[in-house]
Amino acid sequence: RNEPRLTITTHQGATGSVYYLGGQLATGGVERSDDEQIELARRELETCVPWLTWNNARFETLFVNRAEPLQRESRRPDEAYAERHGRFIQAFPTKLSLAPDLGEQVLKLLPPPGGYAPAVSDHPRAQVGQSPW
């Protein structure tokens, strides 16, 4: 299974930029202690992005429990997932880089644009979460 060695996404935190590291570094991180993960993250950044200095960077770890559809042999999905269930569409991007694919899949499940009909549901509305940074 192909997975990037390291992915980096940038977010704005309360005190400046936050770099969220993913790829093989994150996937393998579930087998490492926080200290081991941080040490490997520093080495990977120094190797993959050597023109930046990481000496003053603060590192933290967080555990992310993925929400994704069940696959054969408990493998991770290779693509985003969207499926219609009655009036609802269940959707999982499975990872951030697949969000555009998810959008395409959801659009295919929707009726063509037309008149406005408000969504009516007695399901509880989801709470908007807070980012960990």
Side-chain angles (χ1 to χ4, degrees):
R1 177 174 198 326
N2 288 339
E3 182 174 21
R5 176 178 179 175
L6 177 68
T7 62
I8 305 171
T9 56
T10 307
H11 308 271
Q12 284 303 309
T15 60
S17 294
V18 174
Y19 301 98
Y20 185 86
L21 308 180
Q24 291 175 8
L25 172 70
T27 301
V30 299
E31 305 294 329
R32 293 186 277 274
S33 71
D34 288 354
D35 289 340
E36 291 169 331
Q37 182 70 354
I38 288 170
E39 179 57 34
L40 181 57
R42 284 185 180 279
R43 287 196 316 266
E44 287 293 271
L45 287 168
E46 289 168 1
T47 300
C48 297
V49 196
W51 56 91
L52 296 176
T53 303
W54 303 97
N55 297 337
N56 295 324
R58 188 179 98 215
F59 286 77
E60 293 183 24
T61 63
L62 71 132
F63 182 79
V64 175
N65 194 0
R66 291 179 180 263
E68 55 195 31
L70 182 63
Q71 302 290 303
R72 281 189 218 148
E73 301 173 16
S74 298
R75 301 179 106 186
R76 291 219 351 250
D78 290 326
E79 57 187 23
Y81 171 87
E83 185 174 318
R84 179 176 286 287
H85 297 275
R87 294 178 48 199
F88 296 94
I89 296 175
Q90 182 180 31
F92 297 99
T94 69
K95 58 184 178 178
L96 184 60
S97 63
L98 293 177
D101 178 49
L102 178 65
E104 291 293 324
Q105 289 189 37
V106 168
L107 285 173
K108 290 176 187 175
L109 296 172
L110 294 173
Y116 173 75
V120 178
S121 170
D122 54 357
H123 287 79
R125 295 286 177 194
Q127 297 291 321
V128 176
Q130 296 293 319
S131 66
W133 45 84

